[in-house]
Amino acid sequence: MSVAEEFTLDFARSERIGLEEAIFCAGKSPEQIDAILEAARARGASLLLTRLDPEKRDRLSAAARLDYCAVSRTAVFGAAPRIAGPARVAVVAAGTSDVPVAREALRVLAYAGRAATLFADVGVAGLWRLTTRIEEIRAHPVVIVAAGMDAALPSVVGGLVAGAVIAVPTSVGYGVAAGGRAALDAVLASCAPGITVVNIDNGYGAACAALRLLHAAGRLAEEIER
């Protein structure tokens, strides 16, 4: 079996669910990723790549053609849509250590042509940092919150904003933080009603949840206008 026979790209996903396929690069060899990119190039298609480590990126023959972000470990192959309109999503990071996950969400939103605003280092250990930015955060109808340690921030934000809140527990923390499991349990047990929770470090999934909400709101607005 050739490398090209090991995958089938889902080019129709956008038509079905409004979200394009992304390539999860962890566990894939540089040869497999190169073959995927060549298949996209042959169709004139763009692709979003996630969890692409710098070392693996440097081994790709198509490396020079990638818009790469080492912080989020994401890359864009081909032309992404232009970002248009006001920022409808706030991406909130509890601490600087949570920024890689937050930036993954930002990059996914940008690839979909959606503007977003990053609010970094506003965790509850210094609650004044959040309170001084809360009105800015409230201006966004969708809020993604990335937090590790005890992951208290999503619950606090969930009690302060009216918009949809998507919590991303991160693997940041010592000892009993258990690679993000304590954060995951905390947000799943949150007393703030209506918080959506995605998997540990899953900035991509949080951004996709935000996009689904925005798409649903857009369809509702169109129906009301009709």
Side-chain angles (χ1 to χ4, degrees), residues 157-174:
V157 172
L160 293 174
V161 306
V165 177
I166 303 166
V168 191
T170 72
S171 54
V172 174
Y174 298 105

Side-chain angles (χ1 to χ4, degrees), residues 19-127:
L19 300 172
E20 292 190 16
E21 181 176 24
I23 306 304
F24 181 72
C25 296
K28 292 182 175 66
S29 69
E31 293 74 22
Q32 290 171 322
I33 297 170
D34 270 329
I36 290 170
L37 296 179
E38 175 57 28
R41 186 203 62 76
R43 290 180 62 102
S46 299
L47 280 178
L48 173 70
L49 291 79
T50 67
R51 298 304 164 93
L52 179 61
D53 292 327
E55 298 80 7
K56 187 176 292 184
R57 179 255 187 187
D58 290 342
R59 294 172 59 192
L60 297 176
S61 62
R65 289 180 282 166
L66 296 178
D67 172 9
Y68 183 66
C69 172
V71 174
S72 62
R73 294 182 293 163
T74 60
V76 174
F77 178 80
R82 291 184 60 185
I83 298 176
R88 308 293 288 168
V89 182
V91 180
V92 180
T96 305
S97 297
D98 302 304
V99 166
V101 175
R103 287 209 174 276
E104 181 179 65
L106 286 167
R107 291 270 290 179
V108 175
L109 291 166
Y111 181 74
R114 294 284 187 170
T117 308
L118 175 65
F119 299 87
D121 201 19
V122 292
V124 299
L127 196 55

